[in-house]
Amino acid sequence: MPEGHVVHSQARAIARAFGGKATEVDSPQGRFADGAALVDGVRLVGAEAHGKHLFIAFANDRWVHVHLGLFGKWRIAKGEAPAEQGLIRLRLRNATHYAELRGPTVCEVLGDDERLAAIARVGPDPIRADADPMRAWVKVTRSRSSIGALLMDQRLFAGVGNIYRAEVLFRQNISPYRPGAMVSWADFEAIWTDLTVLMADGVKRRRIDTVRPEHMPEIMGRLARKDRHGGEVYVYRREGMDCYLCGSAIRMADMQARKLYWCPPCQPG
DNA sequence: AGCTCATGGCGAG
DNA sequence: TCGCCCTGAGCTG
């Protein structure tokens, strides 16, 4: 369910609910039992996100590293943890809160060096103040791959997923098929800046809204359905429907095993 | 009850 | 490029 904005808000929620307190850590499902034992009862220091990777810090210099993948989910709530239901890989508990993690691609305990190595593997994250977009630019401008594929590469744009990829290209009127080397500096800068705005907004709202305020009246009476991802978007999962701006049909195609949505007239060459 | 799909990413070939 | 891993929701019947 997550693109980077969700992981950032989850990091904040975990830090708020558990930060500074000794935390009971277990793995009701059992698959993370050994890892949980390494940090069970230790004071949880904080949590932070780098792209879609979440790192939870414990006072014994160990980190729980979580990547949700396509199916992973956190449930973070106040009160006493309910009776175990479903497959809970990791559970955090203190006197006031509990958190349950299901279905992650990665859930492991790392030392400090391993954590730094994991962070080094991802590129700049538009949500993070310390992100250096030049690391992405040098790779984009040298690449023959399409900008649509490059936006999904976590070594270039950490935290961007299929929705932000589609929407930022629509908003900037850039075809997803344009090779990276054909993306101008001005276009790259517009993409990066737009991602910082859209994704920061996503962290705050916990949903992806990309439709500009001036276009909202335009689309209000035309919304055909509410998708699970919530929010209002221009092209994502709108295959075959009319483009809100030019009226032609939104297209869908497979790009590297993921669905790509775009509006050809609005996003030329 | 069973099938399909999903906002990811990895390793084999 | 393909198959596979993780899980749950929303269909269909």
Side-chain angles (χ1 to χ4, degrees):
Chain A
M1 152 157 183
E3 296 196 18
H5 67 299
V6 172
V7 184
H8 278 268
S9 54
Q10 289 167 339
R12 292 177 195 183
I14 289 169
R16 224 179 299 125
F18 299 96
K21 300 168 198 158
T23 305
E24 282 181 65
V25 183
D26 67 353
S27 176
Q29 173 200 49
R31 287 187 52 179
F32 184 61
D34 293 350
L38 296 173
V39 291
D40 184 28
V42 178
R43 184 165 52 89
L44 190 155
V45 176
E48 63 169 3
H50 291 259
K52 298 167 190 168
H53 296 260
L54 172 69
F55 298 90
I56 306 173
F58 287 85
N60 60 353
D61 294 325
R62 298 191 190 263
W63 300 78
V64 172
H65 172 215
V66 172
H67 192 295
L68 295 175
L70 195 49
F71 310 131
K73 278 185 176 54
W74 278 104
R75 176 183 163 83
I76 303 164
K78 271 188 198 169
E80 205 161 314
E84 176 185 346
Q85 197 177 9
L87 300 170
I88 304 172
R89 184 82 59 88
L90 163 65
R91 181 167 59 179
L92 306 175
R93 285 179 290 178
N94 64 21
T96 57
H97 290 78
Y98 68 95
E100 299 170 338
L101 172 65
R102 296 162 210 271
T105 291
V106 174
C107 178
E108 62 184 357
V109 174
L110 300 181
D112 211 39
D113 292 347
E114 296 168 308
R115 168 192 161 253
L116 291 174
I119 292 170
R121 270 178 241 124
V122 300
D125 173 349
I127 295 173
R128 294 186 60 92
D130 60 7
D132 174 13
M134 296 309 287
R135 286 173 61 203
W137 165 246
V138 296
K139 292 178 179 172
V140 167
T141 196
R142 286 182 201 154
S143 177
R144 278 174 301 186
S145 298
S146 67
I147 187 64
L150 293 171
L151 276 164
M152 293 291 280
D153 186 336
Q154 300 298 296
R155 296 169 297 183
L156 275 71
F157 299 94
V160 172
N162 208 13
I163 305 177
Y164 283 125
R165 176 261 292 267
E167 295 297 311
V168 76
L169 289 174
F170 178 88
R171 283 167 54 101
Q172 299 308 321
N173 307 110
I174 296 169
S175 166
Y177 291 100
R178 190 185 301 176
M182 301 290 287
V183 173
S184 69
W185 164 250
D187 282 339
F188 172 83
E189 199 177 31
I191 289 171
W192 180 269
T193 303
D194 207 21
L195 286 172
T196 65
V197 172
L198 289 175
M199 294 174 77
D201 180 71
V203 176
K204 261 184 291 185
R205 305 167 71 115
R206 294 171 170 251
R207 51 183 259 172
I208 298 179
D209 286 291
T210 62
V211 175
R212 293 189 166 95
E214 63 265 36
H215 296 146
M216 283 306 290
E218 172 79 20
I219 72 169
M220 277 318 278
R222 303 169 57 187
L223 297 176
R225 61 179 166 155
K226 287 285 178 190
D227 252 335
R228 273 206 304 280
H229 58 87
E232 301 306 342
V233 296
Y234 288 107
V235 293
Y236 177 72
R237 281 221 232 173
R238 296 195 64 245
E239 178 187 11
M241 301 169 73
D242 295 348
C243 174
Y244 292 135
L245 303 194
C246 80
S248 61
I250 301 300
R251 297 271 303 276
M252 189 276 282
D254 283 342
M255 180 180 271
Q256 295 179 326
R258 304 301 300 280
K259 290 187 172 180
L260 169 70
Y261 301 86
W262 83 110
C263 173
C266 289
Q267 298 172 253

